[in-house]
Amino acid sequence: MRFYFFFLLFSSSLFAQINYPKDYFSPPLDIPMQLSGNFGELRPNHFHAGFDLKTLQKEGLEVHAAADGYVSRIKISTFGNGKTIYITHSNGYTSVYGHLQRATDSIEDFIKKTHYKEQSFEIEIYLKPGELLVKKGQIIALSGNTGASEGPHLHFEFRDNITENIINPMLFGFDKFMKDTKKPIVFNVYAYPLDDETLVNQSKRPLLINLVLQKDGTYLADKVVANGKIGFGINTFDYDDVSFNKNGVYKIQTFYNGIPHFGYQFDTYSFDEMRYVNALIDYSMYKKTQQRVQKLFMRNPYNLSIIKADATNGVVNVMPNFTAQYRIEVSDFYGNSTTVFIPIDYQVLPAIIAKEPSSKYLVKANNESNFSKENMSVFFPANTFYEDFYLNFDVKNDTLFLHNDTVPAHSNFTIEIENHKFTPTQREKLFIASIDGKKIGYNYTMRKDTIFTAKVKTLGKFALVLDTIPPKITIAKSIEGKWLSDKKFIQFTISDGLSGIKSYNGYLNGKWILFEYDNKTKKITHNFSDGIVAEGANELKIIVIDNLGNSTIFETRFFRSQKK
């Protein structure tokens, strides 16, 4: 009876849902809805927060408000969602529209005025109710490819007005605008020995399990033979009938001898939980093979709200006289599911595949740690990492070797380097850099005399780098002394090879002008439609400053007539 009661309690807590309004919101595009990315999809350092809607592989499609409301927030960024509009609705939710080319009408006018008021391309504005009202179906913007977008599309998401948690758009009835009759695809399944004494099929390392497709569409795995605590991981994805993209799955549930064991379902979660994607997946395998294997256990529990687990946290303890049936069910939002059956047996067999060699530096995830050598040190606060691990730590040739990026950090840790080799003037131009081959990554660095510190969130190689080289400003074709009456815009490329660009500003005849920056192409663009350009001669100045204060000034003179 206790098992039966636990089953009911566990199941109800996992599958309970809020009744979201199904017909309140309408699609934001006029074309049929097709996904290039769905809610909860596994992305670098985060879960995807909404839908990525295809826009016919082009920019400029009309974007409509999903319901009545007011524009509550506008964010223009060179990264993330790029140009983004937030609309708050009276029913308790906010809709979000990202990677926009530009806004339209009064919204665009408001944005442009704010750019010039703040003299910045990157802006973030919070508006009051009644300032910019919109109606359902109103055109609010044109679709684009701004921010971190890898191609033209519209990012579309929903948030709770009170908690600001993000919500799966499918829960608002958007499932009816698409068709999905396809079962999720199980690419592979791994078994994990979870302590030093345990072997899985004579291996002390994670092991790929052979799967055999059955006539009924389920998979039967080869028997797993073990002698201690083990867990499982799955690499899986989903297709729908119209998009033909690999999407994330909606729900995974495991069962141990028929009893719910470990599972999660992508309905809603907070932005604070995003980075836990690195705990959910086998991060080391992802870095080495680009496979995102989702772990169906927690060796060291973490606070990801979508996970529902029993007291074992998904760990199976294989003991003598033990025989068990382990089951994995993978489902999409439409209820299509794929099942994997894994028989488990207890046996003690000699190891064929040994454990990977470990270093002498043990980092305990729940404790703080401090390591130092020569003039370099690192401090890890408690809970920087998700699990205990052995750290490879060394200092050679003025470089700190701090393991590698196969172990994910959840929060910042501190690197400290002391160096007396540089003059006081040179110290002003030093920063702690992340070194990846020939690639140098900037980390904001604080200095106190000869001691340099930086807070970082990724393991790897680090060294002090001197940056005295100013940024570059280039133009494809000189405009010096030329008439630009037939041009709609002027465009430059700005770049910096070391610490990176901190700021840039353009001035036309002494007045600040808006240059929009595209991080993907490193180009800045000014549109003459802003109305700053003068009739006849114009003096242009561009100033670019990098993160160490090195600056470059570009000046030129051109002519333009607005007369038709």
Side-chain angles (χ1 to χ4, degrees):
M1 177 64 77
R2 288 177 61 192
F3 262 133
Y4 180 69
F5 176 75
F6 172 76
F7 178 85
L8 290 177
L9 183 64
F10 187 90
S11 299
S12 62
S13 66
L14 179 60
F15 300 113
Q17 290 185 355
I18 299 171
N19 290 321
Y20 295 96
K22 303 292 185 184
D23 299 307
Y24 190 88
F25 297 105
S26 61
L29 298 172
D30 293 322
I31 60 174
M33 186 174 286
Q34 291 191 19
L35 297 179
S36 60
N38 66 344
F39 183 83
E41 197 168 82
L42 310 177
R43 299 283 180 88
N45 297 318
H46 71 285
F47 301 104
H48 191 227
F51 283 169
D52 281 345
L53 299 176
K54 293 187 177 183
T55 56
L56 304 177
Q57 298 181 325
K58 63 182 181 180
E59 300 184 40
L61 273 65
E62 294 177 344
V63 178
H64 303 267
D68 291 358
Y70 71 96
V71 176
S72 53
R73 181 184 176 194
I74 297 168
K75 185 174 183 179
I76 311 295
S77 173
T78 57
F79 298 97
N81 286 332
K83 296 183 179 182
T84 311
I85 293 174
Y86 302 72
I87 299 177
T88 294
H89 309 281
S90 60
N91 66 342
Y93 302 103
T94 293
S95 56
V96 183
Y97 314 77
H99 303 307
L100 302 172
Q101 182 188 80
R102 64 176 181 86
T104 55
D105 303 328
S106 58
I107 303 174
E108 178 66 9
D109 292 340
F110 182 85
I111 292 172
K112 189 63 65 72
K113 288 177 182 176
T114 305
H115 282 307
Y116 277 92
K117 179 182 177 182
E118 298 188 8
Q119 295 192 358
S120 175
F121 171 59
E122 290 197 291
I123 56 175
E124 187 168 14
I125 317 158
Y126 291 88
L127 294 91
K128 298 177 182 178
E131 284 192 77
L132 280 176
L133 296 174
V134 296
K135 302 295 291 183
K136 184 174 184 177
Q138 178 181 328
I139 300 170
I140 59 168
L142 301 179
S143 68
N145 186 30
T146 56
S149 172
E150 295 180 355
H153 72 276
L154 175 68
H155 177 82
F156 181 55
E157 71 179 66
F158 287 96
R159 303 183 184 183
D160 184 285
N161 289 350
I162 297 175
T163 66
E164 294 190 358
N165 286 357
I166 43 178
I167 305 163
N168 192 336
M170 289 291 196
L171 298 171
F172 292 100
F174 284 91
D175 55 315
K176 64 177 175 285
F177 298 107
M178 291 171 283
K179 185 178 181 181
D180 184 356
T181 61
K182 298 179 179 180
K183 294 181 178 181
I185 303 296
V186 174
F187 189 70
N188 50 39
V189 172
Y190 285 82
Y192 290 78
L194 298 182
D195 55 42
D196 292 337
E197 293 75 33
T198 299
L199 286 90
V200 175
N201 293 356
Q202 298 182 273
S203 173
K204 288 196 172 185
R205 302 184 192 181
L207 193 69
L208 182 66
I209 302 173
N210 184 54
L211 304 177
V212 178
L213 181 63
Q214 306 298 295
K215 291 182 179 180
D216 62 358
T218 64
Y219 288 91
L220 178 62
D222 288 352
K223 181 181 289 187
V224 170
V225 177
N227 66 320
K229 293 182 178 180
I230 66 172
F232 293 93
I234 188 168
N235 184 5
T236 181
F237 54 87
D238 189 41
Y239 289 107
D240 60 39
D241 292 6
V242 295
S243 301
F244 307 109
N245 284 81
K246 283 184 180 179
N247 294 319
V249 298
Y250 172 61
K251 179 171 67 175
I252 298 180
Q253 178 64 54
T254 71
F255 299 83
Y256 170 59
N257 286 338
I259 304 298
H261 196 228
F262 185 94
Y264 42 91
Q265 182 170 299
F266 288 101
D267 285 330
T268 180
Y269 44 84
S270 72
F271 281 95
D272 291 339
E273 300 176 88
M274 286 291 203
R275 198 170 176 87
Y276 284 121
V277 67
N278 294 334
L280 181 68
I281 66 172
D282 184 335
Y283 188 84
S284 176
M285 186 176 295
Y286 165 63
K287 283 295 178 177
K288 294 173 182 176
T289 69
Q290 295 302 298
Q291 290 188 71
R292 287 189 174 96
V293 175
Q294 301 174 55
K295 294 187 293 186
L296 306 176
F297 61 91
M298 292 186 291
R299 198 189 320 232
N300 189 32
Y302 50 90
N303 296 319
L304 179 55
S305 63
I306 63 172
I307 291 178
K308 306 297 179 183
D310 65 9
T312 71
N313 289 312
V315 175
V316 178
N317 193 6
V318 185
M319 299 178 291
N321 302 316
F322 178 99
T323 299
Q325 185 75 254
Y326 186 88
R327 185 169 93 246
I328 307 172
E329 292 184 357
V330 184
S331 306
D332 62 25
F333 190 86
Y334 293 81
N336 306 302
S337 65
T338 300
T339 302
V340 179
F341 294 96
I342 306 174
I344 308 173
D345 202 0
Y346 174 86
Q347 284 190 52
V348 180
L349 298 171
I352 295 176
I353 304 175
K355 190 176 181 181
E356 293 182 0
S358 57
S359 76
K360 63 181 180 180
Y361 301 104
L362 175 62
V363 176
K364 288 187 170 291
N366 296 334
N367 300 335
E368 63 180 38
S369 303
N370 194 18
F371 303 96
S372 61
K373 184 178 179 180
E374 297 176 10
N375 64 323
M376 301 190 186
S377 65
V378 59
F379 173 70
F380 300 121
N383 302 310
T384 299
F385 302 100
Y386 304 112
E387 298 179 355
D388 300 349
F389 73 103
Y390 283 93
L391 173 77
N392 293 319
F393 174 82
D394 204 356
V395 175
K396 295 179 182 178
N397 302 320
D398 294 324
T399 300
L400 172 63
F401 292 82
L402 196 57
H403 210 78
N404 54 58
D405 189 21
T406 58
V407 176
H410 186 73
S411 53
N412 289 325
F413 54 91
T414 302
I415 291 172
E416 182 176 287
I417 300 176
E418 186 171 6
N419 196 298
H420 299 272
K421 296 179 181 179
F422 296 91
T423 67
T425 301
Q426 288 175 320
R427 290 174 202 156
E428 299 288 341
K429 301 295 184 181
L430 286 169
F431 69 97
I432 295 177
S434 301
I435 311 296
D436 183 8
K438 294 183 178 180
K439 184 179 178 182
I440 294 175
Y442 172 77
N443 297 301
Y444 175 74
T445 302
M446 298 183 65
R447 182 182 63 84
K448 186 176 181 181
D449 196 18
T450 59
I451 298 175
F452 301 82
T453 58
K455 292 186 181 296
V456 299
K457 201 179 280 188
T458 304
L459 296 170
K461 292 193 294 185
F462 301 89
L464 281 176
V465 170
L466 179 67
D467 183 4
T468 59
I469 303 172
K472 293 181 180 179
I473 306 173
T474 59
I475 187 170
K477 190 175 181 180
S478 175
I479 60 173
E480 177 66 32
K482 296 182 179 178
W483 284 88
L484 305 182
S485 303
D486 60 339
K487 304 295 183 183
K488 294 183 178 180
F489 59 85
I490 47 175
Q491 190 174 75
F492 298 82
T493 300
I494 59 175
S495 61
D496 187 83
L498 290 174
S499 63
I501 292 169
K502 181 179 181 180
S503 66
Y504 69 90
N505 285 284
Y507 301 89
L508 196 57
N509 305 318
K511 294 182 180 179
W512 185 90
I513 58 171
L514 173 64
F515 272 99
E516 298 197 2
Y517 179 65
D518 181 1
N519 181 61
K520 294 184 283 292
T521 63
K522 311 300 181 188
K523 295 186 183 300
I524 56 172
T525 304
H526 172 71
N527 290 287
F528 288 129
S529 60
D530 285 4
I532 309 299
V533 65
E535 182 72 20
N538 286 268
E539 304 286 341
L540 175 68
K541 178 190 284 188
I542 300 173
I543 303 173
V544 180
I545 303 173
D546 69 18
N547 281 293
L548 269 296
N550 304 300
S551 64
T552 297
I553 299 176
F554 176 95
E555 294 181 284
T556 191
R557 188 169 188 258
F558 66 89
F559 299 88
R560 180 177 166 84
S561 175
Q562 281 68 252
K563 297 178 180 179
K564 294 183 179 180

